[in-house]
Amino acid sequence: MKRKLIVANWKMNQLLAQLRQFFKTLADAKITSDAVELVVCPSLPYLASAVEAASGSKVAIGAQNVSECDFGAFTGEVAAQMLTDIGCKWVLIGHSERRSLYHETDELVGKKTAKALSVGLNPILCVGETLAQREAGITDATVQSQLRAALKGIAAQTQPELVFAYEPVWAIGTGKTATAEEANRVHGVIRQELAAIYGEAAARSARILYGGSAKPDNAASLLQQPHIDGLLIGGASLAADSFAKIAAAGVVPG
Ligand code: PEP
């Protein structure tokens, strides 16, 4: 049985006092079940504080971005080794905001993924179609080609674990969620693509998260779907009680 992975993406939100309050409230919610694994991805300046605030709990900390390069003259960038050095375990790669606002290509996403894996950081590789792509009927082809391009040259991984997130761009921060059935269908397409690249066994064991306006109200129905192994949550992850409710839905789906 795969553990559900529930990941908070705070984007560029939360100050130190809010971070501390979040971890205190989350600890009070006592999500101790081994059925779920929790990850919080704060903004860069707060990663070390988050590692400290989460120490002794079951929450792991992730970054929202990483450089594809090793140490060197890359002003403003952060090396994967720096993230592991301060205790980060995870990193989001290829989030649609990185792709659309900062022009990250599939090739760059692939390089960042390879770099994270090389230092023992678990990447969460995000893919998803825009509204225009969905309306043009190329949802499946879009996620397939994003995966193929990003995974070129990357071997199947269990340690560190390479996790995937399906995030339809039109559902991110819009309040519109893909129906649980439609999200599950696209997850199935992603799993088939992973099977074609890495083989059936690796595809079966890969965890694929759904992201896009997931919240306490819809978490259980999404998590009940056979291909949905967890959630990547933006807006609804900022408040600890909301994040805790979503995590609880992963403990007892339905
Ligand atoms: C995200 O940014 O990864 C996301 C899923 O955001 P939201 O939950 O706010 O749609």
Side-chain angles (χ1 to χ4, degrees):
M1 185 70 179
K2 283 186 263 183
R3 295 204 293 168
K4 300 288 188 194
L5 182 59
I6 310 292
V7 182
N9 173 17
W10 284 357
K11 312 191 186 196
M12 200 171 73
N13 293 297
Q14 312 272 58
L15 296 173
L16 191 54
Q18 292 165 305
L19 178 148
R20 292 197 173 128
Q21 185 58 49
F22 178 96
F23 281 98
K24 195 181 163 311
T25 308
L26 189 59
D28 291 345
K30 296 196 177 10
I31 311 281
T32 52
S33 166
D34 282 339
V36 286
E37 207 178 330
L38 305 181
V39 176
V40 174
C41 303
S43 293
L44 190 61
Y46 300 113
L47 287 172
S49 304
V51 168
E52 197 186 313
S55 81
S57 78
K58 64 180 274 115
V59 185
I61 303 304
Q64 299 173 15
N65 187 22
V66 67
S67 171
E68 75 282 16
C69 299
D70 285 319
F71 304 115
F74 302 103
T75 302
E77 290 292 300
V78 173
Q81 296 93 321
M82 295 171 180
L83 296 178
T84 53
D85 190 41
I86 62 158
C88 277
K89 303 281 186 232
W90 294 87
V91 62
L92 302 177
I93 297 182
H95 188 280
S96 69
E97 287 151 17
R98 300 291 322 164
R99 292 176 187 261
S100 65
L101 301 174
Y102 303 99
H103 314 295
E104 292 197 4
T105 60
D106 287 328
E107 191 194 351
L108 182 59
V109 168
K111 284 185 182 164
K112 290 184 174 200
T113 304
K115 181 56 68 188
L117 289 168
S118 76
V119 303
L121 202 53
N122 304 295
I124 299 172
L125 171 53
C126 305
V127 297
E129 82 286 3
T130 62
L131 185 59
Q133 288 166 326
R134 170 155 288 260
E135 286 175 350
I138 55 169
T139 294
D140 298 3
T142 301
V143 297
Q144 284 164 332
S145 89
Q146 287 172 333
L147 282 173
R148 284 249 165 221
L151 296 175
K152 211 181 278 173
I154 295 178
Q157 294 282 340
T158 50
Q159 207 52 261
E161 184 185 0
L162 175 51
V163 167
F164 301 88
Y166 168 56
E167 298 207 300
V169 179
W170 49 270
I172 297 179
T174 59
K176 291 182 192 149
T177 320
T179 62
E181 293 71 23
E182 172 57 7
N184 186 60
R185 188 194 70 74
V186 182
H187 281 224
V189 169
I190 290 171
R191 212 176 289 286
Q192 264 172 12
E193 195 60 27
L194 293 176
I197 301 171
Y198 294 132
E200 291 288 343
R204 243 194 326 272
S205 62
R207 289 193 285 184
I208 306 172
L209 317 182
Y210 169 78
S213 299
K215 42 189 177 284
D217 286 357
N218 58 22
S221 68
L222 287 161
L223 288 168
Q224 275 169 352
Q225 298 295 320
H227 287 301
I228 300 186
D229 305 309
L231 298 171
L232 176 52
I233 309 141
S237 73
L238 294 173
D241 55 349
S242 154
F243 184 64
K245 279 186 194 144
I246 296 171
V251 177
V252 190

